[in-house]
Amino acid sequence: MFNKSDLIKLNNYLWEIPKSYRKDMLVPARIYITEKMLDEVVKDRSLNQLVNLTTLPGIVKYSLAMPDIHEGYGAPIGGVFATKLPDGIISPGSVGYDINCGVRLLKSKHTEKEIRPYLERLIEEIFHAVPSGLGKGGKFKFNITEMDRILGKGIEYLKEKEYATEKDIEHCESGGCLKADPCFVSDLAKKRGRDQVGTLGSGNHFVEVQEITEIYEEKLAEELGLRKGQVVVLIHTGSRGLGHQVATDYIRLFMQSMDKYNISLPDRELAAIPFSTPEGKEYFLAMGAAANFAWSNRQMITYLIRNAWKKVLGLKEESIDLVYDVAHNIAKIEEHEIDKKKIKLIVHRKGATRAFPNQPVLIPGTMGTASYVLVGTEKSKEAFYTVCHGAGRTMSRHEAKRKTSGREVLQQLTKKGIIVKSGSLSDLAEEAPLAYKNVDEVVEVVHQAGLAKKIVQLKPLAVIKG
Amino acid sequence: MSYKYKVLPHPADIKLEITASCKEDIFKGALEGMAYIIQPNASRKSVLKKEQIEIHSLDINALLVDFLSEVLAKSDIYNCIFDKVKIEKLTDNSIKGRLEGKNVERFSKEIKAVTYHQLNINQDKNGDWKAIILFDI
């Protein structure tokens, strides 16, 4: 475990673990956090996991952690690092199993007052339309040829099938499609995914109907089409069983290949080999396919929500537009400035969000707390244009269930006027707001550090938990 | 039965500790423990699904993870809980056997993956075999 004295305070929101801390470190490690929050972070193994990232061959500058950091496996959640192309490593373990788990924000034309009379029916309709929980297949079952097209083309294919619009593609990170090759996705993965497009899953995945309660930057909010009192929908889910299987397949392959490339790591779960190897390139194209699947999943959920909205409000036409869609578990090739030269890097983000200048950034809170829309700034180049991805857990699921019950969480949310739909009371307890850090404090760190600017605050009106 | 398992807390995920009298029972205990996490209240009144399984891996630690990962994928595809295995052959890098389970309508919890994180199957001074597996939830 770490002592706070092992870290150097660079400013009120940034701390460094120097390269001298451990012999095998190739670069320092940095964490964006306040001193008060750091006191909690040193209690688990997340900083050891952050230091492990600094040993990865080809890493540049430093490994980074965002204020929502918490202990994971391999890389910590909230961990970011970049390696040099072509010989730096690529690490499926540092992307995680839920490839392109991410968040999508939709905006309606209505205010909270207009929607309130329909809210109960609306959330009931969405709950029935979007399969959540486990073991329930979705409404759409794609054959292998269709699956390959989803994996290869992402939302572009769904536009051909009229499930998506050109505007949806424009408002999605990377246009909802990464370079991919479905041939590198196993049949097992495809079988797991074929009835999961348009399904929410479980755990911390959700659909929330929210209201915009605060505007911090009028002009930027207006540019995004967001105004106070407006009703929006936030979706959080990923690549489901297909992505989990792609990660499982390649972590296994990489572990078998590390000896061949003389790679030795402090935690085998990091499973990393040079990008330039055949296995490295294959994983990148398979990961791209899983990412396309995740974007397609969030797109089909959008399609189902649009239909539910029209049905409940009794409208023939209703425009529910996409504000933005971001990934927070992914590895991408990007150009960044290193030693005053622009070079191509493989940026790994595990529980962290890309935040290019002026790009919308979506930070969900917990069931009972606020969520935020921010935009990236030029200053975030020091963090490979990255910010946090959520509040970040602060206690185990076991402890959360010891401290509260699903029924109690339900009562507390109902008291606040929030409608809750969930297949499992136990999951509600595990995902209770008390199990997470204070999202307001987390977002304030990235805002004060200058990595992104707060634009609007959202508060939940109704929640569907997977 | 010469194994037992216990679910341990973890900040974000779930850990399972298995104690057994032999390596074979580590595999049996891990399988039953994983089934318990996915569906703690499952009854075993009827066995409906039987599946052959054969895995080859780098070493005994990777074998346990790869075995459980394969079971997890089969559970997902067939909507099945597999909680028993008849092991026909087990070496330090291969396992062959027959899984037994039953169909379910839904699972209680989703395990995204079985991780290799700090897994080390070892024997303590009393001769008991131990393993702690971290599941990504």
Side-chain angles (χ1 to χ4, degrees), chain A residues 73 97 134-135 192 202 240 244 252 267 269 393 395-397 430, chain B residues 10-12 56 66 76 79 106 109-110 112-113 115-117 136:
Chain A
Y73 48 85
Y97 288 91
L134 298 157
R192 288 183 72 175
S202 71
R240 311 283 283 108
H244 309 165
R252 185 178 182 190
D267 182 345
E269 188 65 36
R393 284 194 82 91
M395 73 175 65
S396 71
R397 290 159 204 278
E430 291 183 9
Chain B
H10 179 272
H56 297 265
D66 297 341
D76 203 8
N79 267 348
R106 53 175 287 145
K109 181 161 299 301
E110 179 174 44
K112 288 180 181 165
T115 79
Y116 299 88
H117 184 65
D136 182 358

PDB file of all heavy atoms in Angstrom, chain A residues 73 97 134-135 192 202 240 244 252 267 269 393 395-397 430, chain B residues 10-12 56 66 76 79 106 109-110 112-113 115-117 136:
ATOM      1  N   TYR A  73      -8.321  -4.701 -11.918  1.00  0.00           N
ATOM      2  CA  TYR A  73      -7.386  -5.822 -12.075  1.00  0.00           C
ATOM      3  C   TYR A  73      -6.512  -5.387 -13.227  1.00  0.00           C
ATOM      4  O   TYR A  73      -6.956  -4.683 -14.129  1.00  0.00           O
ATOM      5  CB  TYR A  73      -8.139  -7.125 -12.402  1.00  0.00           C
ATOM      6  CG  TYR A  73      -9.134  -6.890 -13.492  1.00  0.00           C
ATOM      7  CD1 TYR A  73      -8.749  -6.946 -14.827  1.00  0.00           C
ATOM      8  CD2 TYR A  73     -10.426  -6.493 -13.211  1.00  0.00           C
ATOM      9  CE1 TYR A  73      -9.629  -6.643 -15.840  1.00  0.00           C
ATOM     10  CE2 TYR A  73     -11.317  -6.191 -14.220  1.00  0.00           C
ATOM     11  CZ  TYR A  73     -10.918  -6.270 -15.526  1.00  0.00           C
ATOM     12  OH  TYR A  73     -11.779  -5.959 -16.536  1.00  0.00           O
ATOM     13  N   TYR A  97     -12.522  -5.840 -20.154  1.00  0.00           N
ATOM     14  CA  TYR A  97     -13.374  -6.839 -20.798  1.00  0.00           C
ATOM     15  C   TYR A  97     -14.570  -6.217 -21.498  1.00  0.00           C
ATOM     16  O   TYR A  97     -15.053  -6.743 -22.488  1.00  0.00           O
ATOM     17  CB  TYR A  97     -13.830  -7.888 -19.788  1.00  0.00           C
ATOM     18  CG  TYR A  97     -12.712  -8.809 -19.386  1.00  0.00           C
ATOM     19  CD1 TYR A  97     -11.907  -8.534 -18.288  1.00  0.00           C
ATOM     20  CD2 TYR A  97     -12.427  -9.937 -20.140  1.00  0.00           C
ATOM     21  CE1 TYR A  97     -10.860  -9.364 -17.927  1.00  0.00           C
ATOM     22  CE2 TYR A  97     -11.384 -10.780 -19.798  1.00  0.00           C
ATOM     23  CZ  TYR A  97     -10.605 -10.479 -18.691  1.00  0.00           C
ATOM     24  OH  TYR A  97      -9.561 -11.292 -18.367  1.00  0.00           O
ATOM     25  N   LEU A 134     -30.232 -10.129 -17.035  1.00  0.00           N
ATOM     26  CA  LEU A 134     -29.383 -11.162 -17.629  1.00  0.00           C
ATOM     27  C   LEU A 134     -30.156 -12.340 -18.158  1.00  0.00           C
ATOM     28  O   LEU A 134     -31.192 -12.694 -17.640  1.00  0.00           O
ATOM     29  CB  LEU A 134     -28.427 -11.653 -16.552  1.00  0.00           C
ATOM     30  CG  LEU A 134     -27.535 -10.527 -16.070  1.00  0.00           C
ATOM     31  CD1 LEU A 134     -27.023 -10.814 -14.702  1.00  0.00           C
ATOM     32  CD2 LEU A 134     -26.424 -10.330 -17.046  1.00  0.00           C
ATOM     33  N   GLY A 135     -29.609 -12.918 -19.190  1.00  0.00           N
ATOM     34  CA  GLY A 135     -30.206 -14.125 -19.741  1.00  0.00           C
ATOM     35  C   GLY A 135     -31.400 -13.827 -20.622  1.00  0.00           C
ATOM     36  O   GLY A 135     -32.103 -14.731 -21.055  1.00  0.00           O
ATOM     37  N   ARG A 192     -22.253 -15.253 -28.797  1.00  0.00           N
ATOM     38  CA  ARG A 192     -22.680 -14.585 -27.557  1.00  0.00           C
ATOM     39  C   ARG A 192     -23.363 -13.254 -27.859  1.00  0.00           C
ATOM     40  O   ARG A 192     -24.231 -12.817 -27.118  1.00  0.00           O
ATOM     41  CB  ARG A 192     -21.481 -14.346 -26.630  1.00  0.00           C
ATOM     42  CG  ARG A 192     -20.946 -15.600 -25.997  1.00  0.00           C
ATOM     43  CD  ARG A 192     -19.807 -15.323 -25.043  1.00  0.00           C
ATOM     44  NE  ARG A 192     -20.247 -14.675 -23.810  1.00  0.00           N
ATOM     45  CZ  ARG A 192     -19.450 -14.415 -22.793  1.00  0.00           C
ATOM     46  NH1 ARG A 192     -18.174 -14.748 -22.845  1.00  0.00           N
ATOM     47  NH2 ARG A 192     -19.912 -13.828 -21.707  1.00  0.00           N
ATOM     48  N   SER A 202     -26.390  -5.692 -17.137  1.00  0.00           N
ATOM     49  CA  SER A 202     -26.704  -5.456 -15.724  1.00  0.00           C
ATOM     50  C   SER A 202     -25.588  -4.683 -15.050  1.00  0.00           C
ATOM     51  O   SER A 202     -24.812  -4.005 -15.709  1.00  0.00           O
ATOM     52  CB  SER A 202     -26.932  -6.792 -15.038  1.00  0.00           C
ATOM     53  OG  SER A 202     -25.704  -7.451 -14.928  1.00  0.00           O
ATOM     54  N   ARG A 240     -21.309  -5.969 -24.258  1.00  0.00           N
ATOM     55  CA  ARG A 240     -21.978  -7.181 -23.780  1.00  0.00           C
ATOM     56  C   ARG A 240     -21.093  -8.436 -23.954  1.00  0.00           C
ATOM     57  O   ARG A 240     -19.893  -8.335 -23.969  1.00  0.00           O
ATOM     58  CB  ARG A 240     -23.345  -7.321 -24.470  1.00  0.00           C
ATOM     59  CG  ARG A 240     -24.196  -6.056 -24.429  1.00  0.00           C
ATOM     60  CD  ARG A 240     -24.852  -5.824 -23.081  1.00  0.00           C
ATOM     61  NE  ARG A 240     -25.978  -6.691 -22.920  1.00  0.00           N
ATOM     62  CZ  ARG A 240     -26.022  -7.766 -22.095  1.00  0.00           C
ATOM     63  NH1 ARG A 240     -24.960  -8.075 -21.403  1.00  0.00           N
ATOM     64  NH2 ARG A 240     -27.082  -8.494 -21.990  1.00  0.00           N
ATOM     65  N   HIS A 244     -16.857  -9.105 -24.124  1.00  0.00           N
ATOM     66  CA  HIS A 244     -16.204  -9.855 -23.046  1.00  0.00           C
ATOM     67  C   HIS A 244     -15.423 -11.044 -23.639  1.00  0.00           C
ATOM     68  O   HIS A 244     -14.322 -11.356 -23.195  1.00  0.00           O
ATOM     69  CB  HIS A 244     -17.224 -10.399 -22.045  1.00  0.00           C
ATOM     70  CG  HIS A 244     -18.193  -9.370 -21.522  1.00  0.00           C
ATOM     71  ND1 HIS A 244     -19.351  -9.698 -20.873  1.00  0.00           N
ATOM     72  CD2 HIS A 244     -18.169  -8.019 -21.561  1.00  0.00           C
ATOM     73  CE1 HIS A 244     -20.002  -8.606 -20.537  1.00  0.00           C
ATOM     74  NE2 HIS A 244     -19.304  -7.567 -20.954  1.00  0.00           N
ATOM     75  N   ARG A 252      -5.933 -14.265 -23.381  1.00  0.00           N
ATOM     76  CA  ARG A 252      -5.384 -15.633 -23.357  1.00  0.00           C
ATOM     77  C   ARG A 252      -4.265 -15.775 -24.403  1.00  0.00           C
ATOM     78  O   ARG A 252      -3.184 -16.274 -24.097  1.00  0.00           O
ATOM     79  CB  ARG A 252      -6.518 -16.620 -23.634  1.00  0.00           C
ATOM     80  CG  ARG A 252      -6.111 -18.052 -23.508  1.00  0.00           C
ATOM     81  CD  ARG A 252      -7.301 -18.959 -23.750  1.00  0.00           C
ATOM     82  NE  ARG A 252      -6.915 -20.344 -23.591  1.00  0.00           N
ATOM     83  CZ  ARG A 252      -7.691 -21.359 -23.924  1.00  0.00           C
ATOM     84  NH1 ARG A 252      -8.896 -21.144 -24.393  1.00  0.00           N
ATOM     85  NH2 ARG A 252      -7.268 -22.597 -23.768  1.00  0.00           N
ATOM     86  N   ASP A 267       2.007  -7.823 -13.499  1.00  0.00           N
ATOM     87  CA  ASP A 267       0.696  -8.449 -13.328  1.00  0.00           C
ATOM     88  C   ASP A 267       0.315  -9.060 -14.675  1.00  0.00           C
ATOM     89  O   ASP A 267       0.189  -8.345 -15.673  1.00  0.00           O
ATOM     90  CB  ASP A 267      -0.339  -7.385 -12.899  1.00  0.00           C
ATOM     91  CG  ASP A 267      -1.729  -7.977 -12.648  1.00  0.00           C
ATOM     92  OD1 ASP A 267      -1.992  -9.136 -13.062  1.00  0.00           O
ATOM     93  OD2 ASP A 267      -2.552  -7.278 -12.052  1.00  0.00           O
ATOM     94  N   GLU A 269      -2.331 -10.057 -15.837  1.00  0.00           N
ATOM     95  CA  GLU A 269      -3.608  -9.597 -16.382  1.00  0.00           C
ATOM     96  C   GLU A 269      -3.407  -8.407 -17.327  1.00  0.00           C
ATOM     97  O   GLU A 269      -4.263  -8.113 -18.160  1.00  0.00           O
ATOM     98  CB  GLU A 269      -4.542  -9.216 -15.233  1.00  0.00           C
ATOM     99  CG  GLU A 269      -5.961  -8.900 -15.632  1.00  0.00           C
ATOM    100  CD  GLU A 269      -6.748 -10.074 -16.210  1.00  0.00           C
ATOM    101  OE1 GLU A 269      -6.556 -11.203 -15.753  1.00  0.00           O
ATOM    102  OE2 GLU A 269      -7.558  -9.840 -17.128  1.00  0.00           O
ATOM    103  N   ARG A 393     -16.161   3.854  -7.912  1.00  0.00           N
ATOM    104  CA  ARG A 393     -16.614   3.156  -6.696  1.00  0.00           C
ATOM    105  C   ARG A 393     -15.700   3.458  -5.529  1.00  0.00           C
ATOM    106  O   ARG A 393     -14.499   3.661  -5.694  1.00  0.00           O
ATOM    107  CB  ARG A 393     -16.633   1.635  -6.926  1.00  0.00           C
ATOM    108  CG  ARG A 393     -17.787   1.139  -7.741  1.00  0.00           C
ATOM    109  CD  ARG A 393     -17.922  -0.371  -7.616  1.00  0.00           C
ATOM    110  NE  ARG A 393     -18.630  -0.750  -6.410  1.00  0.00           N
ATOM    111  CZ  ARG A 393     -19.952  -0.921  -6.341  1.00  0.00           C
ATOM    112  NH1 ARG A 393     -20.696  -0.776  -7.403  1.00  0.00           N
ATOM    113  NH2 ARG A 393     -20.529  -1.258  -5.204  1.00  0.00           N
ATOM    114  N   MET A 395     -16.605   1.637  -2.396  1.00  0.00           N
ATOM    115  CA  MET A 395     -16.730   0.467  -1.514  1.00  0.00           C
ATOM    116  C   MET A 395     -17.180  -0.749  -2.330  1.00  0.00           C
ATOM    117  O   MET A 395     -17.753  -0.610  -3.413  1.00  0.00           O
ATOM    118  CB  MET A 395     -17.685   0.740  -0.356  1.00  0.00           C
ATOM    119  CG  MET A 395     -19.136   0.791  -0.699  1.00  0.00           C
ATOM    120  SD  MET A 395     -20.225   0.971   0.752  1.00  0.00           S
ATOM    121  CE  MET A 395     -19.807   2.575   1.383  1.00  0.00           C
ATOM    122  N   SER A 396     -16.887  -1.927  -1.775  1.00  0.00           N
ATOM    123  CA  SER A 396     -17.230  -3.160  -2.482  1.00  0.00           C
ATOM    124  C   SER A 396     -18.746  -3.343  -2.504  1.00  0.00           C
ATOM    125  O   SER A 396     -19.476  -2.745  -1.708  1.00  0.00           O
ATOM    126  CB  SER A 396     -16.592  -4.359  -1.783  1.00  0.00           C
ATOM    127  OG  SER A 396     -17.239  -4.591  -0.552  1.00  0.00           O
ATOM    128  N   ARG A 397     -19.186  -4.208  -3.423  1.00  0.00           N
ATOM    129  CA  ARG A 397     -20.621  -4.499  -3.517  1.00  0.00           C
ATOM    130  C   ARG A 397     -21.121  -5.130  -2.219  1.00  0.00           C
ATOM    131  O   ARG A 397     -22.228  -4.860  -1.750  1.00  0.00           O
ATOM    132  CB  ARG A 397     -20.855  -5.475  -4.690  1.00  0.00           C
ATOM    133  CG  ARG A 397     -20.618  -4.815  -6.007  1.00  0.00           C
ATOM    134  CD  ARG A 397     -20.333  -5.810  -7.132  1.00  0.00           C
ATOM    135  NE  ARG A 397     -19.576  -5.136  -8.179  1.00  0.00           N
ATOM    136  CZ  ARG A 397     -20.131  -4.373  -9.113  1.00  0.00           C
ATOM    137  NH1 ARG A 397     -21.426  -4.228  -9.151  1.00  0.00           N
ATOM    138  NH2 ARG A 397     -19.380  -3.780 -10.012  1.00  0.00           N
ATOM    139  N   GLU A 430     -26.278  -2.840  -4.420  1.00  0.00           N
ATOM    140  CA  GLU A 430     -24.862  -2.827  -4.832  1.00  0.00           C
ATOM    141  C   GLU A 430     -24.496  -1.529  -5.547  1.00  0.00           C
ATOM    142  O   GLU A 430     -23.361  -1.088  -5.517  1.00  0.00           O
ATOM    143  CB  GLU A 430     -24.584  -4.013  -5.764  1.00  0.00           C
ATOM    144  CG  GLU A 430     -24.642  -5.341  -5.055  1.00  0.00           C
ATOM    145  CD  GLU A 430     -24.302  -6.497  -5.973  1.00  0.00           C
ATOM    146  OE1 GLU A 430     -23.853  -6.258  -7.103  1.00  0.00           O
ATOM    147  OE2 GLU A 430     -24.497  -7.647  -5.549  1.00  0.00           O
TER     148      GLU A 430
ATOM    149  N   HIS B  10     -14.313  -6.965  -2.847  1.00  0.00           N
ATOM    150  CA  HIS B  10     -13.307  -6.275  -3.659  1.00  0.00           C
ATOM    151  C   HIS B  10     -13.921  -4.921  -4.012  1.00  0.00           C
ATOM    152  O   HIS B  10     -15.147  -4.838  -4.181  1.00  0.00           O
ATOM    153  CB  HIS B  10     -13.019  -7.097  -4.919  1.00  0.00           C
ATOM    154  CG  HIS B  10     -12.024  -6.463  -5.835  1.00  0.00           C
ATOM    155  ND1 HIS B  10     -12.404  -5.559  -6.816  1.00  0.00           N
ATOM    156  CD2 HIS B  10     -10.678  -6.579  -5.920  1.00  0.00           C
ATOM    157  CE1 HIS B  10     -11.312  -5.163  -7.463  1.00  0.00           C
ATOM    158  NE2 HIS B  10     -10.261  -5.764  -6.943  1.00  0.00           N
ATOM    159  N   PRO B  11     -13.105  -3.847  -4.135  1.00  0.00           N
ATOM    160  CA  PRO B  11     -13.700  -2.522  -4.366  1.00  0.00           C
ATOM    161  C   PRO B  11     -14.662  -2.460  -5.552  1.00  0.00           C
ATOM    162  O   PRO B  11     -15.667  -1.763  -5.493  1.00  0.00           O
ATOM    163  CB  PRO B  11     -12.488  -1.622  -4.607  1.00  0.00           C
ATOM    164  CG  PRO B  11     -11.362  -2.312  -3.934  1.00  0.00           C
ATOM    165  CD  PRO B  11     -11.645  -3.774  -4.008  1.00  0.00           C
ATOM    166  N   ALA B  12     -14.354  -3.163  -6.641  1.00  0.00           N
ATOM    167  CA  ALA B  12     -15.220  -3.043  -7.817  1.00  0.00           C
ATOM    168  C   ALA B  12     -15.778  -4.381  -8.279  1.00  0.00           C
ATOM    169  O   ALA B  12     -16.840  -4.439  -8.884  1.00  0.00           O
ATOM    170  CB  ALA B  12     -14.439  -2.414  -8.960  1.00  0.00           C
ATOM    171  N   HIS B  56      -6.823 -26.633 -23.118  1.00  0.00           N
ATOM    172  CA  HIS B  56      -5.362 -26.729 -22.981  1.00  0.00           C
ATOM    173  C   HIS B  56      -4.830 -25.333 -22.691  1.00  0.00           C
ATOM    174  O   HIS B  56      -5.237 -24.365 -23.343  1.00  0.00           O
ATOM    175  CB  HIS B  56      -4.727 -27.263 -24.273  1.00  0.00           C
ATOM    176  CG  HIS B  56      -5.178 -28.649 -24.592  1.00  0.00           C
ATOM    177  ND1 HIS B  56      -4.458 -29.753 -24.216  1.00  0.00           N
ATOM    178  CD2 HIS B  56      -6.295 -29.120 -25.211  1.00  0.00           C
ATOM    179  CE1 HIS B  56      -5.114 -30.848 -24.601  1.00  0.00           C
ATOM    180  NE2 HIS B  56      -6.235 -30.479 -25.209  1.00  0.00           N
ATOM    181  N   ASP B  66      -9.031 -20.335 -17.877  1.00  0.00           N
ATOM    182  CA  ASP B  66      -9.543 -20.664 -19.214  1.00  0.00           C
ATOM    183  C   ASP B  66     -10.738 -21.620 -19.131  1.00  0.00           C
ATOM    184  O   ASP B  66     -11.695 -21.520 -19.902  1.00  0.00           O
ATOM    185  CB  ASP B  66      -8.427 -21.265 -20.084  1.00  0.00           C
ATOM    186  CG  ASP B  66      -7.287 -20.271 -20.319  1.00  0.00           C
ATOM    187  OD1 ASP B  66      -7.523 -19.061 -20.123  1.00  0.00           O
ATOM    188  OD2 ASP B  66      -6.172 -20.694 -20.679  1.00  0.00           O
ATOM    189  N   ASP B  76     -23.639 -18.281 -21.171  1.00  0.00           N
ATOM    190  CA  ASP B  76     -24.212 -17.118 -21.853  1.00  0.00           C
ATOM    191  C   ASP B  76     -24.970 -17.551 -23.124  1.00  0.00           C
ATOM    192  O   ASP B  76     -26.078 -17.109 -23.383  1.00  0.00           O
ATOM    193  CB  ASP B  76     -23.046 -16.177 -22.216  1.00  0.00           C
ATOM    194  CG  ASP B  76     -23.506 -14.745 -22.414  1.00  0.00           C
ATOM    195  OD1 ASP B  76     -24.674 -14.449 -22.120  1.00  0.00           O
ATOM    196  OD2 ASP B  76     -22.696 -13.924 -22.879  1.00  0.00           O
ATOM    197  N   ASN B  79     -27.947 -20.016 -22.004  1.00  0.00           N
ATOM    198  CA  ASN B  79     -28.757 -19.606 -20.846  1.00  0.00           C
ATOM    199  C   ASN B  79     -28.802 -20.731 -19.819  1.00  0.00           C
ATOM    200  O   ASN B  79     -29.868 -21.205 -19.417  1.00  0.00           O
ATOM    201  CB  ASN B  79     -30.186 -19.254 -21.256  1.00  0.00           C
ATOM    202  CG  ASN B  79     -30.323 -17.779 -21.528  1.00  0.00           C
ATOM    203  OD1 ASN B  79     -29.429 -16.998 -21.194  1.00  0.00           O
ATOM    204  ND2 ASN B  79     -31.417 -17.385 -22.127  1.00  0.00           N
ATOM    205  N   ARG B 106     -33.152 -16.490 -16.370  1.00  0.00           N
ATOM    206  CA  ARG B 106     -32.237 -15.349 -16.289  1.00  0.00           C
ATOM    207  C   ARG B 106     -31.231 -15.605 -15.175  1.00  0.00           C
ATOM    208  O   ARG B 106     -31.447 -16.451 -14.309  1.00  0.00           O
ATOM    209  CB  ARG B 106     -32.993 -14.046 -16.043  1.00  0.00           C
ATOM    210  CG  ARG B 106     -33.925 -14.038 -14.857  1.00  0.00           C
ATOM    211  CD  ARG B 106     -34.515 -12.661 -14.648  1.00  0.00           C
ATOM    212  NE  ARG B 106     -33.519 -11.747 -14.111  1.00  0.00           N
ATOM    213  CZ  ARG B 106     -33.455 -10.460 -14.423  1.00  0.00           C
ATOM    214  NH1 ARG B 106     -34.311  -9.934 -15.250  1.00  0.00           N
ATOM    215  NH2 ARG B 106     -32.536  -9.681 -13.899  1.00  0.00           N
ATOM    216  N   LYS B 109     -26.698 -12.411 -11.554  1.00  0.00           N
ATOM    217  CA  LYS B 109     -25.572 -11.481 -11.683  1.00  0.00           C
ATOM    218  C   LYS B 109     -24.796 -11.790 -12.944  1.00  0.00           C
ATOM    219  O   LYS B 109     -24.656 -12.939 -13.317  1.00  0.00           O
ATOM    220  CB  LYS B 109     -24.668 -11.599 -10.443  1.00  0.00           C
ATOM    221  CG  LYS B 109     -23.492 -10.648 -10.489  1.00  0.00           C
ATOM    222  CD  LYS B 109     -22.852 -10.392  -9.152  1.00  0.00           C
ATOM    223  CE  LYS B 109     -23.731  -9.770  -8.098  1.00  0.00           C
ATOM    224  NZ  LYS B 109     -24.288  -8.485  -8.444  1.00  0.00           N
ATOM    225  N   GLU B 110     -24.263 -10.756 -13.558  1.00  0.00           N
ATOM    226  CA  GLU B 110     -23.448 -10.948 -14.752  1.00  0.00           C
ATOM    227  C   GLU B 110     -21.969 -10.950 -14.367  1.00  0.00           C
ATOM    228  O   GLU B 110     -21.491 -10.000 -13.753  1.00  0.00           O
ATOM    229  CB  GLU B 110     -23.697  -9.808 -15.747  1.00  0.00           C
ATOM    230  CG  GLU B 110     -22.866  -9.931 -17.003  1.00  0.00           C
ATOM    231  CD  GLU B 110     -23.219  -8.874 -18.046  1.00  0.00           C
ATOM    232  OE1 GLU B 110     -23.389  -7.706 -17.675  1.00  0.00           O
ATOM    233  OE2 GLU B 110     -23.319  -9.238 -19.223  1.00  0.00           O
ATOM    234  N   LYS B 112     -18.641 -10.548 -16.172  1.00  0.00           N
ATOM    235  CA  LYS B 112     -18.142 -10.199 -17.503  1.00  0.00           C
ATOM    236  C   LYS B 112     -17.006 -11.135 -17.900  1.00  0.00           C
ATOM    237  O   LYS B 112     -16.895 -11.542 -19.039  1.00  0.00           O
ATOM    238  CB  LYS B 112     -17.656  -8.747 -17.519  1.00  0.00           C
ATOM    239  CG  LYS B 112     -18.784  -7.739 -17.467  1.00  0.00           C
ATOM    240  CD  LYS B 112     -18.241  -6.328 -17.491  1.00  0.00           C
ATOM    241  CE  LYS B 112     -19.383  -5.328 -17.408  1.00  0.00           C
ATOM    242  NZ  LYS B 112     -18.919  -3.978 -17.080  1.00  0.00           N
ATOM    243  N   ALA B 113     -16.137 -11.422 -16.941  1.00  0.00           N
ATOM    244  CA  ALA B 113     -14.990 -12.268 -17.277  1.00  0.00           C
ATOM    245  C   ALA B 113     -14.326 -12.822 -16.029  1.00  0.00           C
ATOM    246  O   ALA B 113     -14.463 -12.275 -14.937  1.00  0.00           O
ATOM    247  CB  ALA B 113     -13.976 -11.458 -18.081  1.00  0.00           C
ATOM    248  N   THR B 115     -10.715 -13.300 -14.449  1.00  0.00           N
ATOM    249  CA  THR B 115      -9.412 -12.663 -14.698  1.00  0.00           C
ATOM    250  C   THR B 115      -8.257 -13.534 -14.172  1.00  0.00           C
ATOM    251  O   THR B 115      -8.460 -14.416 -13.333  1.00  0.00           O
ATOM    252  CB  THR B 115      -9.325 -11.273 -14.035  1.00  0.00           C
ATOM    253  OG1 THR B 115      -9.056 -11.436 -12.641  1.00  0.00           O
ATOM    254  CG2 THR B 115     -10.598 -10.468 -14.229  1.00  0.00           C
ATOM    255  N   TYR B 116      -7.069 -13.225 -14.682  1.00  0.00           N
ATOM    256  CA  TYR B 116      -5.853 -13.925 -14.235  1.00  0.00           C
ATOM    257  C   TYR B 116      -5.209 -13.177 -13.068  1.00  0.00           C
ATOM    258  O   TYR B 116      -4.153 -13.546 -12.594  1.00  0.00           O
ATOM    259  CB  TYR B 116      -4.829 -13.975 -15.376  1.00  0.00           C
ATOM    260  CG  TYR B 116      -5.289 -14.709 -16.602  1.00  0.00           C
ATOM    261  CD1 TYR B 116      -5.982 -14.051 -17.619  1.00  0.00           C
ATOM    262  CD2 TYR B 116      -5.025 -16.065 -16.772  1.00  0.00           C
ATOM    263  CE1 TYR B 116      -6.400 -14.719 -18.765  1.00  0.00           C
ATOM    264  CE2 TYR B 116      -5.436 -16.743 -17.912  1.00  0.00           C
ATOM    265  CZ  TYR B 116      -6.115 -16.070 -18.901  1.00  0.00           C
ATOM    266  OH  TYR B 116      -6.530 -16.735 -20.028  1.00  0.00           O
ATOM    267  N   HIS B 117      -5.856 -12.099 -12.627  1.00  0.00           N
ATOM    268  CA  HIS B 117      -5.266 -11.173 -11.670  1.00  0.00           C
ATOM    269  C   HIS B 117      -4.806 -11.872 -10.385  1.00  0.00           C
ATOM    270  O   HIS B 117      -5.621 -12.365  -9.609  1.00  0.00           O
ATOM    271  CB  HIS B 117      -6.296 -10.095 -11.342  1.00  0.00           C
ATOM    272  CG  HIS B 117      -5.780  -9.022 -10.451  1.00  0.00           C
ATOM    273  ND1 HIS B 117      -4.778  -8.157 -10.824  1.00  0.00           N
ATOM    274  CD2 HIS B 117      -6.126  -8.661  -9.200  1.00  0.00           C
ATOM    275  CE1 HIS B 117      -4.546  -7.314  -9.849  1.00  0.00           C
ATOM    276  NE2 HIS B 117      -5.344  -7.595  -8.850  1.00  0.00           N
ATOM    277  N   ASP B 136     -14.493 -10.183 -13.054  1.00  0.00           N
ATOM    278  CA  ASP B 136     -14.886  -8.828 -13.476  1.00  0.00           C
ATOM    279  C   ASP B 136     -16.410  -8.792 -13.534  1.00  0.00           C
ATOM    280  O   ASP B 136     -17.034  -9.556 -14.261  1.00  0.00           O
ATOM    281  CB  ASP B 136     -14.284  -8.525 -14.861  1.00  0.00           C
ATOM    282  CG  ASP B 136     -14.610  -7.113 -15.334  1.00  0.00           C
ATOM    283  OD1 ASP B 136     -15.329  -6.384 -14.620  1.00  0.00           O
ATOM    284  OD2 ASP B 136     -14.158  -6.735 -16.427  1.00  0.00           O
TER     285      ASP B 136
END
